[in-house]
Amino acid sequence: MRQSHKKYVSQFQMMGTVIAITLFDPQLALIEASYDYLQRMDQVFSMNRPDSELMAINQQAGVRPVKVSATAFELIHDALQYSQRHADSFNVLIGPLVKLWRIGFGGEQVPAETEIQRRLKLMDLSQVALDASAQTVYLKQAGMQLDLGAIAKGYFADKLVAQLRAAGVASAIVNLGGNVKLLGENPLTVDGRWEVGIQAPQAIRGIPLLQVQMPARTIVTSGIFERYFKVGNHMYHHILDPQTGYPVRNQVDQVTIITAQSELAEVLATVCYFKGPQAGATLIAQTPQTEAVFVDHQQHVIVTSGLQPRRKGVYSIE
Ligand code: ADP
Ligand code: MG
């Protein structure tokens, strides 16, 4: 294979995070196209822009169906299917609860129980109507809100990598603020494999807890140290339980999913966060070509069976 010794990393801030695209040839036009694509997606799906399609759907909840773009329809359709499949943990209608808790947006406090109960009633999946021929989305009850925060970046990563591949790019790294997707073979290694570091949530940035060698895959992490607030010793974080309305309480610090499709990885990261290492590993074993790394509150690392230990702190996926 071709062995290059250079890489070109382009970084920009968007979607409330740092995006980094790594190419191994200087192709500025592709960086610009990627930037433009992500900016378009931000316009369609932003929760902060009053003119986004997502906001239009949420604002018309209980009023009328909203005609959306094919992209919006596709992502919402996927998110609803995953919500039905993993109803106890993943729910795309979590918007009213996310807005109530405001975790990571400053001035947080634990909401009133009655208000939590009221919002839980707005998360009934049967109250969403998708019309594929009219390409409309309708939230039937006033106050319902879609929140694609736990899936959208995965969908964008899949699309962006597909676009780069279609443009003739052989190798790339797309990093959407911690959601990483690899394309092709690593031109900087002899065997073309990649090595990805998984950061310890409670440790210093830059020193990975473990490394994983792998072919081109996506690596997606969900953890509780991204956004949280504390009351005394109790930590309230941004992964909310759609059954109770409160942040999930368990022993897990973070879950990393390694698989082919980034959208799936996003969903599994959240679902496996709920399940923990035992039940999580069972789900992962049923999902082809998928592995997971769990880190618990004591910084113990638990990996699924396809991650072979190579040496201390280094695992390999064939
Ligand atoms: P991030 O990558 O921003 O850390 P995650 O992928 O872990 O986020 O998803 C967390 C976000 O997903 C939350 O900020 C919220 O918008 C939404 N969310 C929280 N809990 C759930 C849930 N149980 N199901 C679906 N979405 C959720
Ligand atoms: Mg996620």
Side-chain angles (χ1 to χ4, degrees):
M1 67 173 292
R2 177 186 68 106
Q3 238 191 298
S4 147
H5 296 284
K6 292 183 181 171
K7 62 178 180 180
Y8 301 83
V9 186
S10 307
Q11 279 194 352
F12 43 90
Q13 269 188 302
M14 210 188 279
M15 301 175 171
T17 190
V18 179
I19 313 265
I21 295 169
T22 302
L23 301 177
F24 298 86
D25 292 306
Q27 292 166 293
L28 191 57
L30 288 175
I31 297 299
E32 304 241 304
S34 303
Y35 183 97
D36 292 345
Y37 168 72
L38 291 170
Q39 201 166 48
R40 277 201 307 280
M41 290 304 101
D42 196 31
Q43 271 154 18
V44 171
F45 293 106
S46 175
M47 292 284 258
N48 309 313
R49 293 168 188 259
D51 58 342
S52 77
E53 292 188 37
L54 195 62
M55 284 292 276
I57 296 164
N58 289 346
Q59 276 161 1
Q60 297 302 322
V63 181
R64 68 171 77 87
V66 175
K67 174 106 165 67
V68 296
S69 62
T71 301
F73 193 86
E74 182 179 46
L75 174 50
I76 292 165
H77 174 267
D78 290 359
L80 273 169
Q81 282 209 323
Y82 283 121
S83 301
Q84 263 136 15
R85 190 176 312 163
H86 303 289
D88 54 350
S89 48
F90 186 90
N91 189 330
V92 69
L93 292 175
I94 202 127
L97 269 181
V98 172
K99 289 281 167 59
L100 178 65
W101 280 91
R102 292 180 46 79
I103 290 169
F105 293 95
E108 302 98 332
Q109 54 185 5
V110 179
E113 179 62 33
T114 48
E115 194 53 30
I116 288 178
Q117 292 307 324
R118 196 180 73 79
R119 306 232 174 177
L120 283 173
K121 296 201 181 74
L122 297 169
M123 290 165 48
D124 179 353
L125 294 166
S126 73
Q127 295 300 300
V128 186
L130 292 193
D131 183 333
S133 52
Q135 214 169 284
T136 57
V137 180
Y138 181 31
L139 308 179
K140 294 182 187 171
Q141 308 288 323
M144 289 173 74
Q145 290 186 54
L146 292 169
D147 180 330
L148 297 164
I151 185 170
K153 276 192 279 169
Y155 176 87
F156 303 152
D158 288 331
K159 296 286 177 187
L160 191 50
V161 165
Q163 286 165 27
L164 291 172
R165 186 191 287 118
V169 174
S171 306
I173 308 169
V174 166
N175 185 342
L176 307 183
N179 174 321
V180 175
K181 185 154 178 162
L182 306 167
L183 169 63
E185 300 197 323
N186 184 349
L188 304 183
T189 58
V190 180
D191 60 3
R193 282 161 65 80
W194 302 85
E195 185 161 291
V196 176
I198 296 175
Q199 204 81 42
Q202 301 193 64
I204 309 154
R205 294 247 157 211
I207 305 166
L209 187 63
L210 66 151
Q211 315 251 29
V212 185
Q213 300 165 343
M214 64 182 90
R217 292 280 187 275
T218 185
I219 303 95
V220 173
T221 299
S222 264
I224 57 175
F225 286 87
E226 291 291 314
R227 279 178 274 139
Y228 65 91
F229 69 98
K230 275 186 161 176
V231 179
N233 275 333
H234 191 99
M235 186 173 161
Y236 294 91
H237 59 76
H238 77 317
I239 304 176
L240 300 172
D241 187 331
Q243 316 250 47
T244 66
Y246 286 82
V248 195
R249 290 191 80 166
N250 61 23
Q251 289 300 309
V252 186
D253 261 14
Q254 70 176 25
V255 182
T256 301
I257 304 292
I258 303 169
T259 188
Q261 202 205 348
S262 203
E263 184 187 58
L264 172 66
E266 286 272 358
V267 174
L268 290 178
T270 300
V271 172
C272 285
Y273 182 85
F274 279 78
K275 288 188 181 290
Q278 276 79 41
T282 307
L283 173 64
I284 294 300
Q286 293 160 356
T287 315
Q289 303 250 306
T290 303
E291 303 299 336
V293 178
F294 297 83
V295 181
D296 72 13
H297 292 338
Q298 280 75 44
Q299 305 295 286
H300 293 138
V301 175
I302 304 121
V303 302
T304 51
S305 59
L307 280 151
Q308 258 115 56
R310 284 285 177 255
R311 48 179 201 276
K312 195 177 176 349
V314 180
Y315 294 84
S316 172
I317 294 177
E318 292 320 308

